[in-house]
Amino acid sequence: ELKVEQNPLFLSMQEGKNYTIYCNYSTTSDRLYWYRQDPGKSLESLFVLLSNGAVKQEGRLMASLDTKARLSTLHITAAVHDLSATYFCAVDHSGAGSYQLTFGKGTKLSVIP
Amino acid sequence: SAVISQKPSRDICQRGTSLTIQCQVDSQVTMMFWYRQQPGQSLTLIATANQGSEATYESGFVIDKFPISRPNLTFSTLTVSNMSPEDSSIYLCSVRAGGLEKLFFGSGTQLSVL
């Protein structure tokens, strides 16, 4: 059974600081997704990582994937309050394009002034 | 991208009743998925509903409890049957659209069972 572990589960950080969220998964997969969820809202797709060594950046967020280590990271640079949300990583069940996702528990990020 | 509409957005239901949730997509999609998000928790895949085939259910979910219809390439329904308070969750549909690798999520249906 595929397990996806995120840490930390809660993160309080000051504006302007950098931090990294980690996502480990238990079986082989080369497809990893990052989503953002605001309170009471649905999920917004941030990144799709499709191969070992993939790196994607959007604004203050950068995601990377190491399939050999079964690890993805979401790096936050110079955090701002608008980044406060819950961030989920998710892994494709079969790693072969089934698009059936197993989600981590989420990291609730609070950016404080 | 894809615009996904879910109805209802929220409902409060009595124990033992059933609720049907609708998911409408603004484009034709082959792959559609239903997820559950229990309060304060992560998302769990309930089933995959591809047009032209029977829905396939994940471990712990059964067709009698969560029957799914997929009559065409833009629409699906999920029914939560014989509800109990443990079914109180947000239910979301998700699609892969336009050959993209992204998966898009609907706005969700927040269900409370009394």
Side-chain angles (χ1 to χ4, degrees):
Chain A
E1 179 188 346
L2 174 60
K3 294 190 187 303
V4 180
E5 294 187 355
Q6 278 181 247
N7 69 84
L9 298 182
F10 298 93
L11 177 56
S12 180
M13 56 189 298
Q14 286 188 313
E15 281 191 329
K17 298 292 188 182
N18 305 332
Y19 208 85
T20 300
I21 299 171
Y22 296 88
C23 176
N24 289 91
Y25 53 98
S26 61
T27 63
T28 301
S29 179
D30 58 1
R31 291 168 174 265
L32 191 133
Y33 301 75
W34 284 97
Y35 287 91
R36 168 181 172 147
Q37 187 177 39
D38 291 289
K41 305 289 187 183
S42 188
L43 277 76
E44 173 190 354
S45 177
L46 294 175
F47 301 109
V48 182
L49 303 170
L50 298 175
S51 61
N52 185 42
V55 177
K56 291 196 174 180
Q57 183 164 4
E58 180 79 30
R60 299 174 188 275
L61 301 178
M62 183 174 71
S64 66
L65 178 62
D66 182 343
T67 58
K68 294 179 181 177
R70 300 176 186 170
L71 171 68
S72 180
T73 60
L74 180 66
H75 187 73
I76 303 158
T77 302
V80 294
H81 180 70
D82 285 351
L83 290 179
S84 297
T86 298
Y87 293 84
F88 292 96
C89 65
V91 178
D92 192 310
H93 271 19
S94 70
S98 72
Y99 302 96
Q100 298 164 319
L101 303 185
T102 297
F103 280 78
K105 291 183 183 295
T107 297
K108 186 172 182 179
L109 171 64
S110 298
V111 181
I112 54 178
Chain B
S1 65
V3 177
I4 306 169
S5 302
Q6 274 189 242
K7 291 182 181 179
S9 58
R10 60 178 65 227
D11 207 341
I12 300 173
C13 300
Q14 295 297 320
R15 181 195 299 259
T17 62
S18 298
L19 176 72
T20 295
I21 302 167
Q22 300 179 2
C23 179
Q24 178 76 54
V25 189
D26 69 342
S27 59
Q28 294 185 334
V29 297
T30 304
M31 294 179 157
M32 187 175 282
F33 308 90
W34 287 97
Y35 285 84
R36 180 175 74 180
Q37 186 175 25
Q38 293 176 300
Q41 302 295 315
S42 186
L43 284 80
T44 302
L45 180 63
I46 297 172
T48 300
N50 292 338
Q51 203 272 337
S53 61
E54 296 290 319
T56 57
Y57 291 80
E58 297 298 304
S59 176
F61 298 96
V62 295
I63 187 172
D64 289 348
K65 176 68 175 177
F66 298 100
I68 287 170
S69 78
R70 183 80 202 273
N72 58 52
L73 290 172
T74 64
F75 187 78
S76 178
T77 67
L78 170 76
T79 299
V80 186
S81 303
N82 188 24
M83 288 183 285
S84 66
E86 291 71 34
D87 295 319
S88 297
S89 294
I90 299 173
Y91 293 85
L92 301 105
C93 65
S94 172
V95 305
R96 181 192 177 213
L100 299 175
E101 295 300 329
K102 281 187 179 182
L103 291 171
F104 299 92
F105 282 80
S107 52
T109 296
Q110 184 162 357
L111 170 62
S112 298
V113 184
L114 305 178

